[in-house]
Amino acid sequence: MSHTTVMCAPMKRCTKCGELKPESEFYPAPGCKDGLRGRCKSCHLAKTKARYAQDPAPTIAYVTKWKHEHPDRLREYRRKNRERRAAQMRRLHLRSKFGMTVEDYDNILAAQDGGCAICGDRPAEGTSMHVDHWQAHVRGILCVRCNNGLGQFKESPGLLLRAAEYVRLGGFAPLDVVRRDVDRQNDEER
């Protein structure tokens, strides 16, 4: 007959609510005998919120003073918080703006061989590309330059063709020449 030992997390009773909780539910307090506060995190938070609701001025003054005295720690805290929330913010943005998941984005980008749908450039490390959409339809993933270019040309195929012809001809050409050349190219493609 074998015996198995069940390991339980160390427990502590809250001095406020009286509940027996794991020690992880208590804040550290170096001055206390066991190194933990007497009140659990929930009770401590409730007391802090009640005190703030009654008179927020002391807390605001304390926080303002701390920020002024510890700019390096504040900057580090904000940097870590941004990093921690980056993935969450990306998920929320993709879902709310385009109705897609991060997996949908990754699948589209993979189908485009990891680069912009127009120029093929790949994003630099740590940067993302833009979701190109028209009304509710996602058309692809674009680099910033191509996405801005489409916007500058008002998403107009005619303007884009005229711009391409302008570049092909090396500059200005009378409009009737451009239209004739574009019509000829369209006929050849059919």
Side-chain angles (χ1 to χ4, degrees):
M1 179 174 185
S2 91
H3 293 283
T4 56
T5 306
V6 177
M7 300 295 282
C8 295
M11 305 291 274
K12 177 175 174 141
R13 189 168 305 279
C14 175
T15 57
K16 176 69 176 171
C17 67
E19 291 183 31
L20 190 61
K21 296 183 175 185
E23 286 185 353
S24 62
E25 289 297 311
F26 293 83
Y27 289 113
C32 295
K33 187 166 90 174
D34 61 358
L36 300 170
R37 289 183 184 228
R39 293 182 181 191
C40 67
K41 290 179 179 179
S42 300
C43 291
H44 178 75
L45 185 59
K47 179 184 174 190
T48 302
K49 282 184 176 183
R51 186 173 55 234
Y52 184 83
Q54 187 176 356
D55 184 14
T59 304
I60 292 170
Y62 172 80
V63 170
T64 303
K65 181 181 174 195
W66 187 91
K67 286 178 179 180
H68 181 70
E69 292 174 353
H70 303 92
D72 293 340
R73 288 175 61 190
L74 178 63
R75 196 172 18 262
E76 180 64 16
Y77 167 79
R78 287 179 174 166
R79 185 189 63 75
K80 285 182 180 178
N81 195 39
R82 260 192 317 276
E83 288 174 2
R84 182 180 54 80
R85 296 193 63 219
Q88 175 188 11
M89 296 307 291
R90 182 171 184 238
R91 279 193 310 274
L92 291 173
H93 171 70
L94 289 173
R95 186 179 69 217
S96 65
K97 181 115 179 169
F98 309 111
M100 62 191 300
T101 65
V102 173
E103 291 77 24
D104 295 334
Y105 176 96
D106 292 341
N107 289 339
I108 293 169
L109 193 57
Q112 297 174 188
D113 293 325
C116 173
I118 294 175
C119 70
D121 284 355
R122 295 175 184 271
E125 185 65 34
T127 62
S128 63
M129 297 173 67
H130 292 266
V131 176
D132 178 42
H133 61 97
W134 182 252
Q135 296 167 350
H137 173 68
V138 172
R139 299 186 293 197
I141 310 290
L142 302 179
C143 68
V144 173
R145 187 180 55 247
C146 291
N147 190 53
N148 289 343
L150 286 181
Q152 294 297 318
F153 282 99
K154 304 174 189 166
E155 308 264 343
S156 166
L159 274 178
L160 288 164
L161 286 172
R162 286 171 56 187
E165 193 63 15
Y166 177 85
V167 170
R168 188 183 73 75
L169 294 173
F172 175 75
L175 198 52
D176 61 329
V177 172
V178 172
R179 286 190 181 132
R180 186 176 55 243
D181 285 351
V182 169
D183 289 341
R184 182 180 44 75
Q185 282 182 337
N186 287 339
D187 289 341
E188 289 172 2
E189 290 175 2
R190 290 183 200 152

